[in-house]
Amino acid sequence: MKIERVNNELTKELNLIIGREMKDPRLGGLVSVTAVETAKDLKNARVFVSIMDEKTEKDVLNALNGASAYIRGLLFDRLKIRNVPHFVFVKDNSISHSFRIESILKELNISEEKDDDVR
């Protein structure tokens, strides 16, 4: 199985597990897996998660990393791969970064429109 396919399948299954099956109260907010980067040997994987409530991101990451063995156990039953990697959950900054870029672009656009009105 190609790494890309493994990453896509892991992303899909991890979203299902985190969203529907984990009962940890620290995962109360909106948490979603945005990407998985699996090592070529399939032993380790970094799981990027988007956490909407920035105040709880440390608790969410602690909960996910603490439950990684439990999550691996669930995935052994669901996936048809020989080795399910060990997971390290990390915050995905790409969404907040893109919002920041978008707001900067909007500000630039507004200032350009004001300059056009003055002329």
Side-chain angles (χ1 to χ4, degrees), residues 2-17:
K2 286 186 175 181
I3 293 288
E4 188 176 309
R5 229 176 353 170
V6 169
N7 289 339
N8 289 338
E9 195 64 27
L10 285 171
T11 300
K12 184 176 88 176
E13 290 297 329
L14 286 168
N15 271 315
L16 289 172
I17 290 169

Side-chain angles (χ1 to χ4, degrees), residues 7 11 21 28 32 36-37 41 47 60 63 65 67 74 77 84 98:
N7 289 339
T11 300
E21 297 176 37
S32 63
V36 176
E37 288 180 359
D41 62 3
V47 180
V60 169
N65 283 308
L74 293 175
D77 297 336
V84 174
S98 65

Side-chain angles (χ1 to χ4, degrees), residues 71-103:
I71 293 168
R72 281 185 76 222
L74 293 175
L75 290 170
F76 271 117
D77 297 336
R78 298 178 189 198
L79 301 176
K80 294 177 178 39
I81 56 176
R82 220 174 282 146
N83 296 320
V84 174
H86 292 274
F87 300 114
V88 174
F89 291 88
V90 296
K91 182 181 180 232
D92 183 357
N93 293 319
S94 64
I95 293 175
S96 61
H97 188 69
S98 65
F99 282 136
R100 192 166 155 253
I101 290 172
E102 186 177 336
S103 71

Side-chain angles (χ1 to χ4, degrees), residues 26-75:
R26 295 175 290 180
L27 301 176
L30 185 60
V31 178
S32 63
V33 174
T34 56
V36 176
E37 288 180 359
T38 306
K40 290 181 181 170
D41 62 3
L42 292 176
K43 291 189 180 191
N44 298 299
R46 287 193 320 171
V47 180
F48 294 91
V49 290
S50 171
I51 305 165
M52 287 304 182
D53 186 2
E54 290 182 9
K55 296 173 196 155
T56 64
E57 65 189 40
K58 198 175 213 176
D59 287 337
V60 169
L61 291 174
N62 286 337
L64 291 172
N65 283 308
S68 65
Y70 167 75
I71 293 168
R72 281 185 76 222
L74 293 175
L75 290 170

